[in-house]
Amino acid sequence: MRDIQELSREYSVNAEWGTGGDFPRFLAHVCGKTVLLLCDPNTRPLAEPIVKALRGEGCKVDELVYPEREPVADERTVGIAIERAKGSEYLLAVGAGTLNDIAKYAGHCTNTPSGIYATAPSMDGFTSGVTPLIIGGAKVTKQAQTASDVLMDAEVLSSSPKIMRGAGVGDILAKYCCLADWRISARLTGESYHPQAAALMEEAVKRCEASVPALAAGKKEGVAPLMDALLVSGYAMVMAGNSRPASGAEHHMSHYLETDFLRRGLPIPLHGIKVGLGTLVSLYLYHSLRHRFTFPDCETVYEEAEKLPSVEDTEKKLLSLGCPVRFSSIGVGKDTVRRMLFEAYLIRDRFTILTLFCKYGFMDKIADEIVERFS
Ligand SMILES: [Zn+2]
C-alpha cells in the first residue's frame, strides 16, 4: 500500500494526523491569516482545540455556525458561506460531508483555499474536486475545489457517532461493486479501464474491511484504514479521469432514492447508508448470475462475481456498525425499491450490473425476490 501522506502530497492535499489541535503543517500554511470556521451546533464543541491553536498562530478566527443541527448544502447555506468567505483568507469546515461541500464550493466561488477538520469518517468526498448541492430542490453536481488540508484526530474520529463510521464503511465496501461494474463494462462494452487506479482502490478497501471490528468497537486504530480508503477514493477518481473507481450501480440506486426523498420533502439519510443498501442489492445481483442467467460473455462476469464478498458477510459488517440493511428501515417502501431496480440504471449512461439485468430482461425474473429480501 502506498504511503497516503506521500500520495496526498502528489494531489496537493495535506492529509495530516494530529491531536488536540496540533497540526504543524496546516498551522504553518495559515499562520497569521483570517480563517473562517464553518460549523454546526454538533461540531462547534469539537472545534475548540483547533480554534485555540489557530489563535496561538496569530490567526483571526471568524465563525459561521449554522443554527440547524443537520445543515443541507443548498442555495441558502452556500450563499451565506460565500458572503462570509469574502473577508477571509482560508475556510476551515469542521464536520464531514455537508460542511466540507459548502466550504469547497464557497472557496471555489471566492478563490479562497479551504480545508476540513474531519469530525466523522462518513463519506469519500474529502478529496474530490466536485460537490453535490441541492439547487431548486434538485441535486446537482457542481465544480468545486479540492480541500487543501484534511485534518484528522483519531480520538475525535473514533468517538464520532457509530452510524457515521458505518456510513463511511458503506461507501467503501461499495467499491468492490464499483470496480466489478467497471471491469464488466470494460469487457462487455469496451469502456477504458485504469488498472492502477482500480488496484489502488481495491487495496485500500481490503485494509478498511479488515478494520471493521475495530471501527465497530470505537477503537482508535480502526479509523486510519477507513480515512485512508476515503482519501484514496478521491485520488483514484482523479487518476482514472472519472468517478468509475468509486461509483457504480449502488451509487445510482442511492441517487435514485435521494431524488425520491427530495420529491417527498423528507430529510435524506446519510449517503453511505443508502450506498450500503445499494451495495447489498448489487452483490445479490452478481451472486445470482451463475446457474440462472446466461448471455454473451457471461463467463467473464461469473468470474467477476466469484471475487466479490457475500451478501451475508457484508450485511453482518454493516449491522455491526449500526447500519440498516433493509430499505424499510430508512422509510423506503416496496414500490419504490421495485421502481429503483428498473429505473436507477437510467440515471447516467454508465454500464453496471443493473444495466446488465435490465438490458437482458433478467430484472423481471428477479425483482420480486429482491424486493422481498431487502424491504
Ligand atoms: Zn459515495
Side-chain angles (χ1 to χ4, degrees):
M1 179 82 186
R2 282 203 52 190
D3 176 59
I4 304 298
Q5 306 284 316
E6 188 192 301
L7 187 64
S8 299
R9 274 195 293 279
E10 270 175 37
Y11 290 90
S12 307
V13 175
N14 170 38
E16 190 168 7
W17 288 92
T19 47
D22 186 21
F23 297 94
R25 291 199 301 270
F26 162 69
L27 292 168
H29 293 170
V30 296
C31 177
K33 291 188 174 159
T34 301
V35 177
L36 176 67
L37 224 59
L38 292 96
C39 318
D40 65 29
N42 292 319
T43 65
R44 178 59 189 89
L46 300 169
E48 211 42 59
I50 200 83
V51 170
K52 229 172 160 180
L54 286 167
R55 290 202 175 117
E57 292 296 325
C59 295
K60 179 174 180 296
V61 182
D62 283 339
E63 293 190 26
L64 167 53
V65 185
Y66 290 101
E68 50 274 61
R69 294 203 87 80
E70 288 181 18
V72 173
D74 59 14
E75 301 95 324
R76 192 184 60 80
T77 52
V78 162
I80 298 169
I82 291 174
E83 207 39 55
R84 293 286 301 272
K86 286 176 186 163
S88 309
E89 294 166 284
Y90 190 94
L91 312 180
L92 183 66
V94 179
T98 305
L99 289 156
N100 187 41
D101 286 338
I102 296 174
K104 279 193 307 184
Y105 187 68
H108 172 72
C109 295
T110 57
N111 208 14
T112 314
S114 63
I116 171 97
Y117 177 64
T119 57
S122 57
M123 50 87 231
D124 69 357
F126 293 114
T127 51
S128 96
V130 294
T131 194
L133 299 177
I134 310 286
I135 306 288
K139 190 180 159 182
V140 290
T141 301
K142 291 274 194 185
Q143 188 59 45
Q145 63 190 19
T146 307
S148 308
D149 300 273
V150 181
L151 310 179
M152 301 166 283
D153 182 329
E155 183 71 47
V156 171
L157 291 166
S158 60
S159 325
S160 62
K162 196 179 195 180
I163 193 76
M164 297 194 85
R165 283 175 266 144
V169 168
D171 208 9
I172 291 303
L173 294 180
K175 307 315 182 208
Y176 281 125
C177 297
C178 306
L179 297 173
D181 282 353
W182 193 11
R183 281 191 284 264
I184 64 166
S185 178
R187 284 169 180 174
L188 303 184
T189 76
E191 184 183 338
S192 70
Y193 178 69
H194 196 300
Q196 288 88 351
L200 180 71
M201 188 72 254
E202 190 156 8
E203 203 180 331
V205 176
K206 286 193 172 140
R207 288 184 65 237
C208 170
E209 193 179 15
S211 75
V212 166
L215 279 162
K219 290 186 184 161
K220 277 201 272 189
E221 60 266 32
V223 293
L226 172 56
M227 278 306 296
D228 284 353
L230 294 169
L231 298 179
V232 160
S233 176
Y235 305 142
M237 286 192 266
V238 178
M239 203 183 267
N242 59 52
S243 61
R244 262 298 191 185
S247 170
E250 71 303 313
H251 274 73
H252 298 169
M253 290 185 248
S254 166
H255 191 117
Y256 187 89
L257 296 179
E258 213 157 86
T259 308
D260 189 64
F261 279 104
L262 280 171
R263 193 179 47 74
R264 291 191 284 153
L266 297 173
I268 302 171
L270 287 169
H271 170 76
I273 298 288
K274 299 188 293 326
V275 167
L277 282 160
T279 300
L280 295 175
V281 173
S282 277
L283 289 172
Y284 193 90
L285 291 172
Y286 269 108
H287 290 301
S288 302
L289 280 171
R290 196 185 276 275
H291 308 305
R292 288 179 68 177
F293 302 108
T294 55
F295 50 95
D297 258 343
C298 55
E299 284 299 332
T300 59
V301 185
Y302 295 165
E303 277 169 30
E304 207 51 62
E306 298 257 293
K307 292 186 261 168
L308 289 170
S310 71
V311 175
E312 293 73 21
D313 188 53
T314 307
E315 264 177 337
K316 268 187 213 149
K317 290 195 167 79
L318 292 174
L319 281 170
S320 75
L321 284 148
C323 292
V325 294
R326 297 288 179 272
F327 287 96
S328 54
S329 309
I330 58 164
V332 174
K334 288 186 178 183
D335 289 350
T336 307
V337 176
R338 170 174 277 281
R339 277 202 310 277
M340 174 191 84
L341 294 174
F342 287 96
E343 295 171 11
Y345 83 98
L346 298 167
I347 279 177
R348 66 180 294 183
D349 186 17
R350 175 173 279 185
F351 193 92
T352 68
I353 190 68
L354 276 181
T355 323
L356 190 148
F357 269 76
C358 292
K359 188 178 154 197
Y360 291 120
F362 305 155
M363 196 57 92
D364 292 314
K365 301 189 178 75
I366 203 168
D368 286 345
E369 200 176 310
I370 292 181
V371 170
E372 281 314 308
R373 174 72 169 77
F374 295 107
S375 287

